[in-house]
Amino acid sequence: MTTRTAKSTRTSPTDMDFIQLLFTDVGGRLKTLEVPRSRWNTVRDSGWTMDGSVLLGYGDPDYSDLRLVPDPETFVARPWHTPSGRSVGLVFCDVLDPQGRPFAADPRAQLRRAVERSEARGQLPVFGVEAEFYLLRAHDSLPVGEPSDSGGYWDLVEHEQADEVCRDISDALELMGLTVTGHHHEVCAGQREIVFQHGNALATADRLLLLKHTARTMARRRGMKAVFMPKPLAHLYGNALHVHVSLRGTDEEARPLFHSVDDTQGMSTLFRQSLAGVLEHADALTALGNPTVNSYKRLVPASGTPVHRSWARHNRSTAFKVVGDGAVPASMRLELRSPDPSTNAHLLFTAILAAFADGQDRDLKLGEACEESADRLSIPELAVRGITTLPTDLPTALRCLEEDSTVRSAVGELASRAWVSGSRADWNAWHRLVTSWELERYMESV
């Protein structure tokens, strides 16, 4: 039986049987309200009342009467049907407060504000992401499942079922308007990566959510699970979310602002200031880019994951890498290699743009590149170069976020408090859990 999707000629919400109104909570989890076609025009014009606890993760009487308002420009027809044959449309929404203003903790609204602030500087942000994930099969003795294949980095595998999942995902994304540039096998058995074309900040953050949702759906159709958690398998590498970002001019020329022919590395002064700002706020960015307890099972020194606050032009083991060909100005960009797919991309992108602006406003100076693995440098060598480690546990990262007024202000005080509250609750819940490792290690030995 084929699982391929077919292009639909129905391109309007009123052509669908149901429409899912999509938004994210502060933690980045995709939420939805589904309405029948007959209700679309009313909901489009008037919105839908909702409680703020859905976004914040906790109840607050001051935010109990919000309004969910569809953004019709984001509508796509879902290119697969329900088990009973119904068609479903998807549309992202904004959240308004009782006064009709963008809600202070709506992640999409915060990113839209950040982009507007950047455009007021004559800078148009361009974002791209590379999301890694595992395709796992059910296994009786492994709760999380086992890898769907035994391939390695960029391997051509003979067992094509996992490849077929990636083709299903690519087909579906293309039919929803995303340009898929390629997919390949990642380093570990069962690990994959699908890349779609870069674009503006809001569209890229929205599309990452569509990618994750689509990947899970297509994998389930073939008896697998698409797993984006940072570290699902203890003995294999974790999943990264590599974030690429550059700035272009807002004029008709849209000149690449990160490139300079006069710099030996091809980097403009604006690029150097912006990267210096990211390094300045790297600890708080870690709290947003690596937000879960599980994130810090991946973000471990000497594990193949970049955990040092350093940058490089050619070193792929660094947390912040300058990418691009100096002969192709538009290709010059910054790659953040430490975030993982559990992040809320809307808020992470917001914080990155705030760090850029701070570096520019303060004319921060960029230190020397580190073109060797920081894991191999001694503590004195790291100190001489001014290289420190990023937070490697969640409580430390959250304290850094609370102490960083620039990032906290950009994300918004309400969203910041909700973020920290939710993450601390997860950390406390984790510490109340007695694991099988503890039982095996201590039950009869202490």
Side-chain angles (χ1 to χ4, degrees), residues 177-412:
L178 284 72
T179 300
V180 176
T181 58
H183 65 85
H184 65 84
H185 204 292
E186 264 296 336
V187 174
C188 295
Q191 192 177 35
R192 299 291 175 132
E193 178 178 286
I194 292 180
V195 182
F196 55 83
Q197 190 172 28
H198 55 265
N200 70 64
L202 196 60
T204 299
D206 288 349
R207 288 168 180 170
L208 175 60
L209 294 169
L210 289 179
L211 165 64
K212 293 168 69 174
H213 175 63
T214 302
R216 293 182 180 118
T217 301
M218 295 299 138
R220 191 177 302 113
R221 284 176 147 198
R222 293 189 182 271
M224 303 181 205
K225 290 186 292 185
V227 178
F228 289 85
M229 70 183 289
K231 185 75 170 177
L233 299 165
H235 64 293
L236 298 178
Y237 286 159
N239 289 320
L241 178 74
H242 296 162
V243 177
H244 296 253
V245 56
S246 63
L247 298 175
R248 292 177 177 268
T250 54
D251 54 9
E252 290 185 5
E253 187 181 357
R255 178 174 57 90
L257 300 180
F258 273 1
H259 177 262
S260 173
V261 295
D262 300 322
D263 184 82
T264 57
Q265 310 249 29
M267 301 170 64
S268 67
T269 299
L270 184 76
F271 193 175
R272 290 181 173 275
Q273 292 170 335
S274 300
L275 175 50
V278 165
L279 290 170
E280 178 81 1
H281 298 284
D283 291 350
L285 292 175
T286 300
L288 296 172
N290 309 92
T292 69
V293 171
N294 185 251
S295 296
Y296 297 87
K297 302 296 178 71
R298 168 183 170 265
L299 211 61
V300 174
S303 66
T305 301
V307 297
H308 289 90
R309 194 164 58 90
S310 61
W311 75 279
R313 185 70 173 88
H314 306 288
N315 172 19
R316 295 176 65 86
S317 71
T318 190
F320 305 98
K321 186 176 185 296
V322 173
V323 183
D325 182 349
V328 185
S331 70
M332 292 295 293
R333 62 195 186 275
L334 173 64
E335 179 185 11
L336 293 84
R337 298 178 60 81
S338 60
D340 66 58
S342 67
T343 186
N344 183 328
H346 294 86
L347 295 183
L348 177 61
F349 292 1
T350 297
I352 291 170
L353 294 179
F356 278 6
D358 190 50
Q360 296 166 23
D361 291 343
R362 294 165 59 194
D363 190 20
L364 294 178
K365 302 305 178 185
L366 184 63
E368 292 297 318
C370 180
E371 297 294 354
E372 55 190 301
S373 174
D375 285 335
R376 298 176 183 173
L377 299 177
S378 66
I379 293 177
E381 288 173 323
L382 291 171
V384 167
R385 299 187 186 204
I387 297 174
T388 59
T389 58
L390 299 173
T392 54
D393 63 77
L394 184 56
T396 300
L398 294 176
R399 285 195 298 272
C400 293
L401 176 60
E402 289 178 312
E403 294 167 0
D404 192 315
S405 59
T406 297
V407 171
R408 201 177 62 246
S409 175
V411 170

Side-chain angles (χ1 to χ4, degrees), residues 43-64:
V43 172
R44 179 198 59 198
D45 297 337
S46 304
W48 190 288
T49 302
M50 61 179 290
D51 187 86
S53 63
V54 179
L55 271 80
L56 298 173
Y58 59 86
D60 189 318
D62 291 335
Y63 310 111
S64 60

